[in-house]
Amino acid sequence: MKKRWSLVAFLPFALFAMAFPMAFGGQPAKDGASIPVKSLVISEFKRGGGTRYGDLEFVGGLVMATKNAEMGAVSSIRLMDGGKRFLSVMDTGHWASGEIERDAEGRPTGIKDYTITSMIDAGGVRNGDHKADMDAEGMALDGDRILVSFERNHRIATYPLDGYATSKPLSVEKPLTDGFRLRNNGGLETVLAAPKDGPLQGATIWVAERSYNAKGDFYAGVQSGPGKGNFYVERIAPYDVTDGVFLKDGSFLLLERSFGLLDGIGMRIRRFDSKDIAPGKTISGKVVMEADFSHQIDNMEGIDTYTAADGSTRLIVVSDDNHSLLERNLLLEFKLVE
């Protein structure tokens, strides 16, 4: 029965594909060229479900497509200019940037000035869609630097925020591990920059996607400072971690997803206190919200926050359509209800 409902859940994705018959194929974009994005507005997160979902209030969302499916493969997103502009990384080794258009009430209505640029590796070579070595999965803004985590060849690269598109990494760091091995395609998924005035004193933090310890919990690490060492994040099946972000109060959110015919489609967000992190410790956090395939979700990959004009904390969550006919590129916005 669960598998049957999972198949049913993919029907809206196929219908969307029919609405955008030229949107699929995964053609590479010309570096730096502006790409038109066609968007459909999502007014309800769940039909008849109202606006409140756990500790979040749904603001609005978009289903997005480009003519040649250039938008697929988005892994992480970071917002700038009060939620107006964004920068994201793709697991094909590309940067993507653009601007979110909004209506008078601040709800997303579209994307403009969307550009994609190949990342440059440590050797100064511009990536040519080589996923094996440029599988960018996580990103964090740290002052005037951008931290990017890569899978397969697990590493954290630091790029300059100013001029990132034409720069090779300023530095490359291996994740701190205590002798354990990260899975090839389930390792360095999430990277975060802790607040400098918090207990972790600005350290770089990472969480694995599907690399588990003997108890089945996620491997994680603090790269420097007073909390330096490895810790663990409790895994509550069938979810795995895809992205994370720190909030203004020093706590942080982790975005989790389940995606497949066996376990169905799911999205969950948990909130953690950074004071709980210590070498060897397992942290569990609190569920902020959870959604299944009856909601407007897909393969949810990226999360970030910004402060809206009314002072509220807003969350943006995005999906990766993997250049697949059965998946969608989504941008969802929520208000955190404290």
Side-chain angles (χ1 to χ4, degrees), residues 126-157:
R126 190 171 290 280
N127 174 51
D129 199 16
H130 297 302
K131 186 179 177 72
D133 193 57
M134 294 294 283
D135 186 354
E137 293 290 347
M139 176 176 58
L141 299 183
D142 185 18
D144 59 357
R145 309 182 309 158
I146 306 172
L147 307 177
V148 181
S149 59
F150 293 88
E151 275 191 330
R152 302 173 195 269
N153 177 9
H154 301 291
R155 65 197 188 278
I156 301 169

Side-chain angles (χ1 to χ4, degrees), residues 50-233:
T51 59
R52 185 67 180 267
Y53 299 89
D55 293 340
L56 303 182
E57 182 180 301
F58 183 65
V59 174
L62 301 171
V63 187
M64 305 166 294
T66 57
K67 184 178 180 179
N68 294 310
E70 298 97 336
M71 184 175 276
V74 172
S75 295
S76 184
I77 186 169
R78 291 296 175 253
L79 302 163
M80 297 170 284
D81 294 346
K84 183 178 181 181
R85 294 192 303 119
F86 65 87
L87 175 65
S88 56
V89 290
M90 298 177 166
D91 63 19
T92 50
H94 294 84
W95 305 102
S97 62
E99 183 175 323
I100 302 174
E101 298 178 295
R102 301 177 184 276
D103 62 18
E105 284 72 41
R107 296 177 295 235
T109 58
I111 301 293
K112 69 176 184 179
D113 298 332
Y114 190 70
T115 61
I116 296 175
T117 308
S118 302
M119 302 179 80
I120 298 175
D121 66 18
V125 177
R126 190 171 290 280
N127 174 51
D129 199 16
H130 297 302
K131 186 179 177 72
D133 193 57
M134 294 294 283
D135 186 354
E137 293 290 347
M139 176 176 58
L141 299 183
D142 185 18
D144 59 357
R145 309 182 309 158
I146 306 172
L147 307 177
V148 181
S149 59
F150 293 88
E151 275 191 330
R152 302 173 195 269
N153 177 9
H154 301 291
R155 65 197 188 278
I156 301 169
T158 300
Y159 288 85
L161 180 57
D162 184 13
Y164 65 86
T166 57
S167 174
K168 67 179 183 179
L170 302 174
S171 64
V172 178
E173 184 178 2
K174 288 293 186 181
L176 180 67
T177 61
D178 187 19
F180 57 81
R181 182 181 178 87
L182 294 172
R183 292 179 62 177
N184 187 42
N185 191 28
L188 206 57
E189 184 79 8
T190 302
V191 64
L192 304 92
K196 291 179 172 49
D197 59 354
L200 298 175
Q201 299 180 15
T204 298
I205 300 171
W206 59 267
V207 182
E209 177 190 13
R210 293 193 310 275
S211 296
Y212 317 123
N213 65 9
K215 294 182 178 179
D217 297 322
F218 302 110
Y219 283 119
V222 179
Q223 292 290 109
S224 63
K228 182 178 180 179
N230 291 114
F231 66 102
Y232 312 100
V233 176

Side-chain angles (χ1 to χ4, degrees), residues 207 218 231-234 236 241 245-247 249-256 269-277 282-288:
V207 182
F218 302 110
F231 66 102
Y232 312 100
V233 176
E234 181 186 15
I236 306 175
V241 174
V245 62
F246 269 91
L247 299 176
D249 66 355
S251 65
F252 64 96
L253 304 176
L254 288 180
L255 173 66
E256 301 173 292
I269 299 172
R270 278 192 288 171
R271 188 173 185 172
F272 300 82
D273 192 331
S274 58
K275 295 194 298 292
D276 294 336
I277 294 177
T282 301
I283 61 175
S284 298
K286 170 185 177 293
V287 175
V288 171

